[in-house]
């Protein structure tokens, strides 16, 4: 049975191979690889098959499989089974005849060069693919992301995308080029200051062989550059709020906040409950618009309560009262509200609605933002059973993001906003 040895190789060429793997390559009767990989063995006596079109190359390898005197070596970059040619070879050739000899992968080299453990990193291939997976990882706040680029999804394009997304987290931006080669270069670009080095990133040409590494960091006041006078009076950007370190995207998004405020039909001097307040984004929006109102931000987690208080200090609002506790247990001690917003229920929606019904003033308005069908069904069932009037607003929004030199829409999670009042008898 003719073996097909799939040999990973780095930019250091033959010098980077172990003695055992080098002996396998030296004994090859057919060398297969790209022009660059074959150039590392310019004096090798075996016939060469330049790997340009995959289909005829596979056919020639198949024809040689029954020749027991052949030793076929396929040269590939790094680890053949890490976004490499190995996957295609496994689909086309008998598994028992394939023997893999991995080299260090570009991602492994990149993280070691910037001295960051990478066992928990998310690897995203943008090589010949869309940036959808990267957008999702960024919106989820993945802590460590390595991006395999191509001629379209370049480091420059990824930087434009990162700056365009209204992310609640700051990402360190590293570009690692020609890893393992004599012209290796590893650069850090501070995108948050948008200064000279960030501008140079947008203008710089990078070597085709590069990896982008993104490392999430908590945003400092300097990185957010909070200027209260410059902020809109309605619709604060998501990125201006301090958020959960482990769930940075967990907040009522800007566009949904604006709609919720409209559905609440707010007036000056009201008492408002914000149940499941999270980072306090809805409470703070209301507080800035209506400084004479009192907003009770109820949050069951200590981390959330701390964030609410920190965000209130950041935005200099003094009419938000942070309440640490689980609804509905903590609601009885609060003054009767004119408006109630429920952004999170912790699985206690029906019980919370029971208390809200008993406490809400006669002309009060109740608004819920529901992300799941189960909670929507539970909420609507409760309202129907008690004869409340309600209307639904289903929100399916997309934000524009740059993709290379084009623009496309990236969807936010759909939300159903329920606005309810007691039926007039």
């Amino acid at each position: 049975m003719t073996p097909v040895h799939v040999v990973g190789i780095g930019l250091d060429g033959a010098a980077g191979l172990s003695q055992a793997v080098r002996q396998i390559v030296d004994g090859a009767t057919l060398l297969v690889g790209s022009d660059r990989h074959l150039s590392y063995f310019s004096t090798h006596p075996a016939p060469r098959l330049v790997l340009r079109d995959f289909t005829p190359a596979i056919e020639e390898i198949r024809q040689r499989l029954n020749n027991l005197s052949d030793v076929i070596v396929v040269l590939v970059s790094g680890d053949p089974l890490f976004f490499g040619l190995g996957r295609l070879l496994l689909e086309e050739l008998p598994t028992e005849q394939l023997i893999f000899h991995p080299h260090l992968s570009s991602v492994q080299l990149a993280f070691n060069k910037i001295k960051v453990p990478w066992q928990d990193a998310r690897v995203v291939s943008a090589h010949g693919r869309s940036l959808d997976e990267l957008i999702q990882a960024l919106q989820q706040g993945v802590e460590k992301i390595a991006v395999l680029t191509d001629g379209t999804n370049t480091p420059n394009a990824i930087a434009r995308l990162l700056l365009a997304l209204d992310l609640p987290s700051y990402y360190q931006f590293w570009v690692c080029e020609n890893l393992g080669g004599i012209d290796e270069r590893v650069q850090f670009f501070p995108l948050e200051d948008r200064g000279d080095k960030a501008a140079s990133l947008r203008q710089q040409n990078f070597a085709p062989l590069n990896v982008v590494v993104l490392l999430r960091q908590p945003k400092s006041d300097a990185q957010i550059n909070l200027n209260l006078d410059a902020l809109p009076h309605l619709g604060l950007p998501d990125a201006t709020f301090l958020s959960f370190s482990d769930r940075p995207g967990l907040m009522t998004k800007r566009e949904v906040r604006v709609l919720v405020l409209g559905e609440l039909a707010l007036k000056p001097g009201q008492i408002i409950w914000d149940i499941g307040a999270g980072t306090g984004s809805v409470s703070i929006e209301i507080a800035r618009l209506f400084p004479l109102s009192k907003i009770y931000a109820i949050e069951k987690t200590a981390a959330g309560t701390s964030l609410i208080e920190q965000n209130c200090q950041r935005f200099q609002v003094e009419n938000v009262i942070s309440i640490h506790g689980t609804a509905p247990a903590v609601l009885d001690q609060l003054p009767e509200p004119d408006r109630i917003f429920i952004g999170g229920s912790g699985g206690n929606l029906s019980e919370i609605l029971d208390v809200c019904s008993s406490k809400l003033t006669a002309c009060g308005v109740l608004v819920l933002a529901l992300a799941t069908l189960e909670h929507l069904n539970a909420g609507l069932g409760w309202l129907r059973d008690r004869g409340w009037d309600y209307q639904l607003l289903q929100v399916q929004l997309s934000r524009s993001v740059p993709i290379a030199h084009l623009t496309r829409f990236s969807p936010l999670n759909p939300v159903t906003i329920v606005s309810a009042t007691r039926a007039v008898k």
Side-chain angles (χ1 to χ4, degrees), residues 27-77:
T29 59
L30 176 66
L31 281 181
V32 183
S34 67
D35 285 318
R36 177 170 65 84
H37 292 141
L38 293 172
S39 70
Y40 296 137
F41 305 94
S42 57
T43 61
H44 198 292
R48 294 157 182 272
L49 178 57
V50 180
L51 197 54
R52 294 193 180 96
D53 189 339
F54 185 72
T55 302
I58 284 293
E59 189 56 38
E60 182 161 348
I61 292 172
R62 278 203 191 99
Q63 292 175 6
R64 291 174 172 261
L65 289 180
N66 293 323
N67 187 347
L68 298 181
S69 63
D70 269 334
V71 176
I72 303 170
V73 171
V74 182
L75 301 170
V76 299
S77 294

Side-chain angles (χ1 to χ4, degrees), residues 318-379:
E318 299 178 352
N319 52 329
V320 173
I321 299 96
S322 177
I323 305 293
H324 179 209
T326 301
V330 299
L331 301 179
D332 283 329
Q333 60 185 296
L334 304 181
E336 293 186 349
D338 302 291
R339 300 290 186 268
I340 299 174
F341 171 61
I342 302 177
S345 63
N348 302 320
L349 183 57
S350 294
E351 294 84 352
I352 291 172
L353 288 172
D354 287 339
V355 175
C356 290
S357 176
S358 66
K359 300 280 281 187
L360 185 64
T361 57
C363 297
V365 177
L366 170 68
V367 175
L368 304 90
L370 304 170
T372 69
L373 290 174
E374 289 77 10
H375 286 149
L376 177 59
N377 286 334

Side-chain angles (χ1 to χ4, degrees), residues 138-354:
L138 290 169
Q139 290 174 338
Q140 291 172 346
V142 174
E143 185 177 355
K144 303 170 188 176
I145 306 173
V147 188
L148 306 178
T149 67
D150 65 9
T152 300
N153 297 319
T154 62
N156 320 67
I158 293 167
R160 286 194 297 272
L161 171 66
L162 192 61
L163 291 171
L165 295 173
D166 186 16
L167 297 174
S169 300
Y170 156 65
Y171 277 89
Q172 288 186 358
F173 194 96
W174 294 83
V175 183
C176 307
E177 304 170 77
N178 295 325
L179 292 166
I182 57 174
D183 51 353
E184 176 182 278
R185 184 169 61 167
V186 176
Q187 297 183 85
F188 166 69
F189 294 90
L191 297 188
E192 80 283 1
D193 64 14
R194 302 183 186 233
D196 293 340
K197 194 161 187 183
S200 73
L201 169 60
R202 294 190 288 272
Q203 301 164 2
Q204 189 166 338
N205 292 322
F206 295 95
L209 300 177
N210 69 73
V211 177
V212 170
V213 176
L214 306 173
L215 304 176
R216 180 168 63 83
Q217 306 289 320
K219 277 187 172 179
S220 66
D221 287 353
Q223 288 162 346
I224 295 177
N225 192 24
L226 191 65
N227 182 350
L228 294 178
D229 293 333
L231 289 176
H233 205 58
L234 173 65
L236 295 165
D238 295 344
T240 57
F241 290 94
L242 297 175
S243 59
F244 295 95
S245 60
D246 58 337
R247 297 166 293 164
L250 188 64
M251 70 170 67
T252 304
K253 298 297 188 290
R254 178 187 192 181
E255 297 84 352
V256 177
R257 284 200 306 273
V258 172
L259 292 171
V260 165
L261 266 59
E263 293 300 303
L264 283 168
L266 297 161
K267 296 178 181 179
Q270 293 180 318
I271 301 293
I272 298 119
W273 290 359
D274 179 4
I275 300 173
T279 62
S281 61
V282 171
S283 292
I284 289 169
E285 290 270 16
I286 298 172
R288 282 165 51 86
L289 288 168
F290 297 96
L292 298 181
S293 294
K294 278 191 175 182
I295 304 97
Y296 291 84
I298 300 101
E299 172 56 39
K300 68 177 182 178
T301 68
T305 302
S306 175
L307 280 174
I308 292 168
E309 294 170 355
Q310 291 178 62
N311 279 320
C312 286
Q313 292 174 7
R314 288 173 56 73
F315 289 97
Q316 299 176 18
V317 297
E318 299 178 352
N319 52 329
V320 173
I321 299 96
S322 177
I323 305 293
H324 179 209
T326 301
V330 299
L331 301 179
D332 283 329
Q333 60 185 296
L334 304 181
E336 293 186 349
D338 302 291
R339 300 290 186 268
I340 299 174
F341 171 61
I342 302 177
S345 63
N348 302 320
L349 183 57
S350 294
E351 294 84 352
I352 291 172
L353 288 172
D354 287 339

Side-chain angles (χ1 to χ4, degrees), residues 94-161:
T95 303
E96 62 272 12
Q97 290 181 257
L98 289 167
I99 304 172
F100 293 99
H101 306 275
H103 196 271
L104 297 175
S105 71
S106 57
V107 172
Q108 184 177 0
L109 288 167
F111 276 101
N112 278 271
K113 287 297 178 181
I114 63 177
K115 302 175 184 177
V116 171
W118 68 287
Q119 69 274 359
D120 52 346
R122 175 88 59 89
V123 180
V124 175
S125 177
H127 192 84
R129 309 182 189 190
S130 75
L131 291 174
D132 288 352
E133 187 180 354
L134 175 59
I135 292 171
Q136 183 182 47
L138 290 169
Q139 290 174 338
Q140 291 172 346
V142 174
E143 185 177 355
K144 303 170 188 176
I145 306 173
V147 188
L148 306 178
T149 67
D150 65 9
T152 300
N153 297 319
T154 62
N156 320 67
I158 293 167
R160 286 194 297 272
L161 171 66

